[in-house]
């Protein structure tokens, strides 16, 4: 629809002392659609011409000759209101969707690459409910960037290095668990969780065990064969469960590159820091001072030589730049890590990496759940109040399954459909608000088929699919009569479909999937309303209306996919 704005700006520039660009800048979309599709305020012209804006608007309305596509121009209180020709708009938007199909509204390839670091959980632990946020915001952003023409590298920066592994190793050996390969292969992440719990328990009466864990990690870093073998088994056990969950969520990665991968790349980073005289000894630690940026020192190395989270992020950023030559590198990580990323980005800047300005932390808020007293609070893994992601997915699936059993017991493949609706409901609940807002998780609200929910959006798609299925044919564009789809509900739906490009672009610029989630709601609402007001099958306008249904289905389906929801066809 951008071309409409240029067209109108051109008409104005033709008759008034203003450039097309300036006229375009001034054009607005009126809140009240009875004031037209685009409105041009004449107040800046009035200043320039020292003339009453009302008069200017009236004169321009008289002078402008409307081209094809515009139905009317009207002066109102100093504004010039333009009305589009509904039939023309219908043909323009729907034919373009028909041609571009699911890619309608996408930008052409731009040969630039974007790295998106998301999910990136710590190994040895089960995914908690809150891990859904990074995973699904990152997943949707990956799709949104692709739709904007970028080559996306999806990176899972696994937390597979650090003292936590020392704890697991110490506890595993203490409990005399089996060391044979076949036995290690059978290990599950649930057992690892139990090991953590026993470690925490043991540490209460025997605090020295913490020191043992640190030593065990150092021994792991130094390459001890048994320790490495255990570490690899712990990691594999976690990955097994992780892959299963990603499969259910419909998420995939191009690279699983854990923190351990950077161990041998760190000496070069440290040398570089030393050469640039950035590394300072502070107590037992090597740090980079950032006080002129009002940040605490960035910790690089401990006295025993072991490295830290930030050190590995420095190495990872340099590696990513060398490997992918990214235009931007996004870190989809909770708001709590803001300071960490500020420090890492600043150190890279002081190392003279100009590209450090292309590193972006994409923070998000918490998932809050209601406790017994009805207060909203954050779940904590350590106190055991956090729900495990697998349990939440299972419960959501079960609730939807119960609903299907009641409403549509003959539905094919019930369990799969229930999982896809349940997962999408959880995901939509996460994406629908601006990412920095905390998400209040309420079962009934999230799983409802009414309101701003995943099931509501999916249901709109199901209804469109169901009409197409019953029709059992697709309409040829030459059989459409555009003036048969110009009633208010058709017009609203078509205008909404026409805003896909703008919404994908804005979601990308703001790194904000919520923009697309709101757009999905707009389409769903306009589609529900159109179907409610217009009989499609068996009407005189059947072919024209069915063509609109067909194109609405395409746009909604792709919007749903870009959000990472399942575009189901039946429920
Ligand atoms: N593993 C970290 C955590 O669970 C998140 C890692 C995010 N990515 C990064 N490059 N630091 O807190």
């Amino acid at each position: 629809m951008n071309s409409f704005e240029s067209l109108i700006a051109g008409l104005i520039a033709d008759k008034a002392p203003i450039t097309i660009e300036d006229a375009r800048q001034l054009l607005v979309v009126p809140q009240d659609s009875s004031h037209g599709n685009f409105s041009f305020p004449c107040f800046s012209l009035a200043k320039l011409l020292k003339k009453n804006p009302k008069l200017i608007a009236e004169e321009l309305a008289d002078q402008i000759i409307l081209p094809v596509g515009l139905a009317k121009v009207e002066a109102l209180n100093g504004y010039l209101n333009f009305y589009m020709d509904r039939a023309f708009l219908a043909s323009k938007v729907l034919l373009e969707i028909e041609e571009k199909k699911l890619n309608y509204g996408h930008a052409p390839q731009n040969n630039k690459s974007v790295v998106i670091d998301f999910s990136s959980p710590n190994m040895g632990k089960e995914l908690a409910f809150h891990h859904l946020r990074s995973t699904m915001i990152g997943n949707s952003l990956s799709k949104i960037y692709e739709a904007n023409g970028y080559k996306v590298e999806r990176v899972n920066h696994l937390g597979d290095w650090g003292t936590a592994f020392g704890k697991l190793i110490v506890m595993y050996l203490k409990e005399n668990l089996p060391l044979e390969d076949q036995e290690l292969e059978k290990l599950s992440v649930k057992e690892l969780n139990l090991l953590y719990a026993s470690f925490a328990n043991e540490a209460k009466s025997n605090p020295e065990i913490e020191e043992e864990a640190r030593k065990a990690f150092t021994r792991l870093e130094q390459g001890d064969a048994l320790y490495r073998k255990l570490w690899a088994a712990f990691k594999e056990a976690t990955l097994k469960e992780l892959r299963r969950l990603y499969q259910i969520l419909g998420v995939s990665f191009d690279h699983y590159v854990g923190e351990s991968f950077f161990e041998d790349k760190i000496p070069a980073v440290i040398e570089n820091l030393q050469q640039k005289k950035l590394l300072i000894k502070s107590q037992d630690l090597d740090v980079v001072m950032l006080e002129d940026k009002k940040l605490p020192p960035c910790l690089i190395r401990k006295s025993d030589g072991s490295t830290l989270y930030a050190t590995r992020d420095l190495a990872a950023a340099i590696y990513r730049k060398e490997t992918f030559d990214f235009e931007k590198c996004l870190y989809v990580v909770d708001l709590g890590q803001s300071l960490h990323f500020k420090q890492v980005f600043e150190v890279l800047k002081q190392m003279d990496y100009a590209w450090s300005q292309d590193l972006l932390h994409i923070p998000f808020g918490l998932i809050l759940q209601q406790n017994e007293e009805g207060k909203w609070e954050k779940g904590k893994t350590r106190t055991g109040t956090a729900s495990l992601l697998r349990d939440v997915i299972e419960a959501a699936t079960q609730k939807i399954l119960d609903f299907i059993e009641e409403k549509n017991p003959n539905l094919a493949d019930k369990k799969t459909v229930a999982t896809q609706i349940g997962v999408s409901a959880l995901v939509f609940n996460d994406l629908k608000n601006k990412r920095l807002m905390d998400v209040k998780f309420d079962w009934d609200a999230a799983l409802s088929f009414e309101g701003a929910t995943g099931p509501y959006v999916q249901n709109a798609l199901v209804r469109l699919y169901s009409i197409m299925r019953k029709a059992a044919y697709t309409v040829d564009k030459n059989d459409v009569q555009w003036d048969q789809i110009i009633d208010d509900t058709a017009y609203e739906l078509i205008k909404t479909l026409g805003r896909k490009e703008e919404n994908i672009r804005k979601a990308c610029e703001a790194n904000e999937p919520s923009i697309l989630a709101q757009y999905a709601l707009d389409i769903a609402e306009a589609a529900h309303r159109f179907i409610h007001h217009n009989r499609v099958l068996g009407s005189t306008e059947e072919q024209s209306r069915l063509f609109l249904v067909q194109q609405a289905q395409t746009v909604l389906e792709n919007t749903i996919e870009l959000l990472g929801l399942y575009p189901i066809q039946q429920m």
Side-chain angles (χ1 to χ4, degrees):
M1 287 223 285
N2 289 337
S3 50
F4 267 104
E5 294 176 36
S6 312
L7 179 77
I8 293 171
L11 295 173
I12 298 165
D14 221 26
K15 303 286 178 200
I18 186 169
T19 64
I20 297 191
E21 293 73 42
D22 288 346
R24 209 187 138 137
Q25 285 291 321
L26 286 172
L27 273 184
V28 291
V29 177
Q31 292 281 342
D32 177 352
S33 60
S34 74
H35 291 168
N37 302 94
F38 294 103
S39 191
F40 178 77
C42 297
F43 308 99
S44 36
L45 277 181
K47 243 194 214 155
L48 186 78
L49 299 173
K50 302 200 169 47
K51 210 161 147 184
N52 182 337
K54 260 180 90 170
L55 202 66
I56 298 180
E58 278 158 17
E59 284 175 7
L60 282 174
D62 277 346
Q63 291 168 14
I64 284 172
I65 299 160
L66 292 177
V68 188
L70 287 175
K72 189 166 80 168
V73 55
E74 218 170 52
L76 185 76
N77 300 330
Y79 284 88
L80 201 54
N81 295 338
F82 292 86
Y83 296 77
M84 281 195 271
D85 178 337
R86 292 186 177 193
F88 181 81
L89 180 75
S91 71
K92 192 170 149 24
V93 171
L94 301 186
L95 287 176
E96 195 179 334
I97 302 170
E98 165 82 354
E99 185 198 322
K100 305 209 170 127
K101 303 267 182 313
L102 294 170
N103 290 331
Y104 172 70
H106 293 201
Q109 302 284 334
N110 62 20
N111 289 320
K112 291 175 186 161
S113 86
V114 169
V115 172
I116 307 188
D117 172 334
F118 67 104
S119 200
S120 306
N122 293 332
M123 299 284 88
K125 297 191 180 127
E126 292 208 71
L127 284 196
F129 187 19
H130 67 83
H131 284 111
L132 189 68
R133 295 225 74 195
S134 171
T135 308
M136 298 321 287
I137 294 172
N139 181 55
S140 178
L141 284 177
S142 305
K143 290 165 187 272
I144 290 170
Y145 271 86
E146 273 168 356
N148 270 285
Y150 292 91
K151 165 102 179 67
V152 174
E153 307 289 348
R154 295 162 162 81
V155 176
N156 199 331
H157 185 79
L158 302 170
D160 64 355
W161 210 235
T163 338
F165 283 95
K167 294 183 183 176
L168 287 176
I169 291 171
V170 164
M171 223 44 222
Y172 195 89
L173 295 174
K174 265 205 180 356
E175 296 193 357
N176 282 319
L177 295 165
L179 301 172
E180 301 81 42
D181 289 348
Q182 311 96 289
E183 294 301 314
L184 282 172
E185 271 168 32
K186 288 190 215 134
L187 205 60
S188 79
V189 67
K190 283 177 214 165
E191 293 164 79
L192 298 180
N193 269 3
L194 291 177
L195 281 183
Y196 268 121
S198 343
F199 183 94
N201 236 341
E202 175 88 22
K204 277 186 218 147
S205 55
N206 172 18
E208 286 93 73
I209 196 173
E210 297 277 1
E211 189 49 33
E212 270 181 65
R214 266 190 292 278
K215 287 207 181 107
F217 177 57
T218 310
R219 201 161 146 190
L220 175 67
E221 280 187 303
Q222 287 160 353
D224 180 279
L226 174 64
Y227 282 28
R228 289 266 166 159
K229 180 164 117 170
L230 288 175
W231 166 79
F234 298 161
K235 182 171 165 181
E236 195 42 47
T238 322
L239 277 175
K240 228 188 291 165
E241 169 67 359
L242 206 54
R243 290 202 193 93
R244 186 184 76 85
L245 283 173
Y246 287 149
Q247 162 109 37
I248 296 173
L249 294 170
V251 170
S252 63
F253 292 88
D254 303 302
H255 314 277
Y256 281 84
V257 184
E259 293 184 35
S260 64
F261 176 81
F262 297 101
E263 268 307 276
D264 63 359
K265 300 177 179 52
I266 282 177
V269 176
I270 295 201
E271 204 170 297
N272 192 334
L273 285 168
Q274 276 161 340
Q275 259 170 22
K276 301 211 161 102
K277 308 226 175 330
L278 293 169
L279 212 58
I280 307 273
K281 267 238 171 323
S282 161
Q283 284 149 9
D284 277 358
L285 298 162
D286 289 323
V287 305
V288 177
M289 298 305 282
L290 302 170
E291 71 222 299
D292 51 336
K293 295 287 161 193
K294 302 204 166 55
L295 294 170
C298 183
L299 314 185
I300 304 293
R301 193 166 56 175
K302 296 191 209 163
S303 54
D304 62 4
S306 59
T307 60
L308 291 121
Y309 182 46
T311 329
R312 296 190 278 277
D313 256 327
L314 293 174
I318 296 168
Y319 173 80
R320 287 173 190 175
K321 184 66 191 178
E322 282 168 359
T323 314
F324 305 117
D325 191 24
F326 56 73
E327 169 95 355
K328 273 197 260 184
C329 174
L330 274 43
Y331 297 80
V332 186
V333 186
D334 70 86
L335 184 62
Q337 295 199 25
S338 293
L339 177 61
H340 164 75
F341 287 109
K342 277 193 195 130
Q343 292 176 307
V344 168
F345 299 168
E346 183 55 32
V347 171
L348 288 164
K349 188 174 168 202
Q350 300 202 0
M351 291 171 89
D352 286 334
Y353 291 118
W355 49 262
S356 66
Q357 67 188 46
D358 306 325
L359 306 171
L360 291 178
H361 177 207
I362 309 295
F364 51 83
L366 307 168
I367 295 189
L368 304 178
Q369 288 176 282
Q370 241 165 346
N371 65 15
E372 288 94 63
E373 292 112 58
K375 262 187 45 193
W376 291 98
E377 62 176 26
K378 178 192 172 192
K380 291 184 207 77
T381 328
R382 252 167 296 137
T383 55
T385 57
S387 328
L388 293 179
L389 184 53
R390 64 178 160 83
D391 292 339
V392 179
I393 292 176
E394 232 162 76
T397 304
Q398 191 53 49
K399 281 175 199 270
I400 299 287
L401 197 56
D402 294 345
F403 185 80
I404 294 177
E405 291 294 359
E406 189 193 315
K407 299 273 175 187
N408 188 9
N410 297 324
L411 180 73
D413 229 351
K414 279 183 275 198
K415 181 83 208 270
T416 311
V417 177
T419 310
Q420 294 184 340
I421 299 177
V423 163
S424 301
L426 299 174
V427 174
F428 194 86
N429 190 64
D430 244 38
L431 299 184
K432 72 176 178 186
N433 293 315
K434 286 217 164 104
R435 60 179 152 73
L436 272 171
M437 285 174 64
D438 290 342
V439 174
K440 284 187 177 165
F441 182 74
D442 171 331
W443 280 108
D444 295 332
L447 296 181
S448 165
F449 283 77
E450 298 296 327
T453 68
Y456 173 78
V457 172
Q458 283 176 316
N459 188 32
L461 184 65
V462 164
R463 284 181 81 187
L464 296 168
Y465 260 107
S466 134
I467 295 173
M468 294 308 297
R469 232 181 353 255
K470 281 188 197 132
Y473 71 97
T474 49
V475 182
D476 185 309
K477 58 180 187 253
N478 297 312
D479 294 332
V480 181
Q481 285 173 257
W482 305 110
D483 57 6
Q484 290 182 336
I485 37 177
I486 55 172
D487 71 282
D488 285 349
T489 61
Y491 180 55
E492 274 310 314
L493 178 55
I494 292 165
K495 267 200 304 185
T496 308
L497 300 180
R499 289 185 6 238
K500 188 180 177 209
E501 188 216 303
E502 162 200 332
N503 278 291
I504 295 181
R505 183 170 37 79
K506 285 185 179 158
C508 189
E509 283 165 3
N511 296 304
E512 201 45 279
S514 65
I515 293 178
L516 218 55
Q518 290 302 325
Y519 178 56
L521 286 172
D522 291 346
I523 307 173
E525 210 173 300
H528 278 307
R529 201 169 297 140
F530 170 74
I531 295 169
H532 182 77
H533 285 280
N534 295 280
R535 189 149 65 91
V536 178
L537 303 179
S539 66
T540 349
E541 299 87 355
E542 175 172 311
Q543 300 216 35
S544 308
R545 288 179 180 165
L546 197 59
F547 192 73
L548 172 51
V549 166
Q550 206 170 297
Q551 309 316 329
Q553 178 196 297
T554 307
V555 173
L556 183 55
E557 174 157 347
N558 184 241
T559 306
I560 284 179
E561 272 170 358
L562 291 177
L563 287 168
L565 314 184
Y566 283 101
I568 53 173
Q569 305 184 5
Q570 258 172 311
M571 61 166 61

